[in-house]
Structures are given as structure tokens and as C-alpha cells.
């Protein structure tokens, strides 16, 4: 029997959406106020969903404390109160759109899990704007 376990977390981070190879005018046309050279911030809400078989001995799919620690180490410690463009190596040459952020989060968490688990990441940039990624 496969069950999905969800863990919520959050982090606050600043970013600027732009391409270095475009003019300021083109960046402004495409990214609008998100192209602010002084950056802007979001209160990101994260849901990490792990699907797997229930362990017969523990009754768990995954120990929530283990999942909580992975999220803290891999995501919260790495992203919280950071400028994604400047302080997070994964975004040195990658535009930190919410779409790219969710893929980076997935790629940081997936290797820490049992290979038999399915993983889905849901990331809210605002209460109305969110993305999901499951590695497909």
C-alpha cells in the first residue's frame, strides 16, 4: 500500500529575474518589476510530498523527523534569508524563477531519500502563484 506523507516548511528569500545577456530594457519588458536591480523578496511556502510503501515494522513511509531534517539542511539553511542570485550557488547562472527554484529543491532532496520513494515538491511564491515538480 503506497501512502503520501507531506511536510510543510517555509523560507524567505530575495531574487531578481533577469538574463545577463539581455539589455535592461528587454529584461524590464519580460520580467517587469521582478527585474528590480535592487532585488525583491518572497515568503516562500514549501510542501515536500514523499510517496512510498508503509514499513511493516514502524508503520511509517518515512520518519517525519528525518524528512524535517533533510528540508532544514538542504533547503531552509541554504535559502532562508538569502539573496538567491548572489548567495546560492545553484543560481549563479540560472534565473531564480519559481519554476527553476522548485527543480533545484527537488534535485537537492531527492538524493537524500530512499530510491524507492516518489517525490513531489510544491512551492508557493505567493498565496496565488505556485508550482509543483515531481521529476518528470
Amino acid at each position: 500500500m503506497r501512502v503520501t506523507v507531506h511536510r510543510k516548511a517555509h523560507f524567505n528569500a530575495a531574487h531578481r529575474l533577469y538574463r545577463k545577456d539581455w539589455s535592461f530594457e528587454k529584461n524590464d519588458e519580460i520580467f517587469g518589476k521582478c527585474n528590480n536591480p535592487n532585488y525583491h523578496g518572497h515568503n516562500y511556502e514549501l510542501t515536500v510530498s514523499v510517496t512510498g510503501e508503509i514499513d511493516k515494522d514502524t508503520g511509517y513511509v518515512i520518519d517525519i523527523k528525518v524528512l524535517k531534517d533533510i528540508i532544514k539542511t538542504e533547503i531552509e539553511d541554504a535559502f532562508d534569508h538569502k539573496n538567491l542570485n548572489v548567495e546560492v550557488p545553484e543560481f549563479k547562472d540560472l534565473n531564480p524563477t519559481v519554476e527553476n527554484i522548485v527543480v533545484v529543491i527537488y534535485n537537492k532532496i531527492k538524493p537524500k531519500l530512499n530510491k524507492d520513494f516518489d517525490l513531489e515538491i510544491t512551492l508557493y511564491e505567493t498565496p496565488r502563484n505556485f508550482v509543483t515538480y515531481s521529476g518528470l
Side-chain angles (χ1 to χ4, degrees):
M1 171 174 3
R2 291 180 61 81
V3 173
T4 302
V5 175
H6 307 274
R7 173 74 187 182
K8 288 187 172 187
H10 70 272
F11 61 92
N12 304 316
H15 68 161
R16 176 186 180 196
L17 302 185
Y18 76 109
R19 289 186 49 139
K20 296 173 188 172
D21 59 330
W22 288 357
S23 68
F24 179 84
E25 293 73 23
K26 182 166 183 176
N27 275 298
D28 217 38
E29 176 187 330
I30 301 299
F31 300 115
K33 65 183 180 179
C34 296
N35 176 44
N36 182 342
N38 294 312
Y39 306 95
H40 67 281
H42 295 282
N43 299 316
Y44 292 94
E45 295 294 331
L46 173 66
T47 303
V48 176
S49 303
V50 177
T51 303
E53 296 291 328
I54 298 173
D55 182 277
K56 290 179 177 76
D57 294 328
T58 65
Y60 294 154
V61 169
I62 184 172
D63 184 333
I64 286 289
K65 174 147 182 13
V66 170
L67 185 56
K68 173 186 170 189
D69 291 346
I70 292 170
I71 294 166
K72 180 178 184 332
T73 302
E74 296 299 320
I75 309 309
E76 292 173 324
D77 290 350
F79 292 1
D80 192 37
H81 285 81
K82 301 283 174 64
N83 181 319
L84 299 177
N85 300 75
V86 175
E87 299 176 271
V88 178
E90 289 86 353
F91 299 107
K92 181 180 185 302
D93 295 311
L94 182 64
N95 205 5
T97 62
V98 70
E99 294 90 342
N100 283 332
I101 297 168
V102 79
V103 172
V104 167
I105 290 171
Y106 177 95
N107 289 336
K108 288 173 73 71
I109 293 175
K110 182 68 172 160
K112 305 294 182 186
L113 300 175
N114 179 314
K115 64 177 178 51
D116 295 329
F117 290 156
D118 291 328
L119 175 64
E120 182 174 84
I121 305 296
T122 302
L123 183 64
Y124 283 79
E125 188 172 63
T126 72
R128 291 188 206 124
N129 299 333
F130 65 99
V131 297
T132 60
Y133 182 66
S134 58
L136 302 176

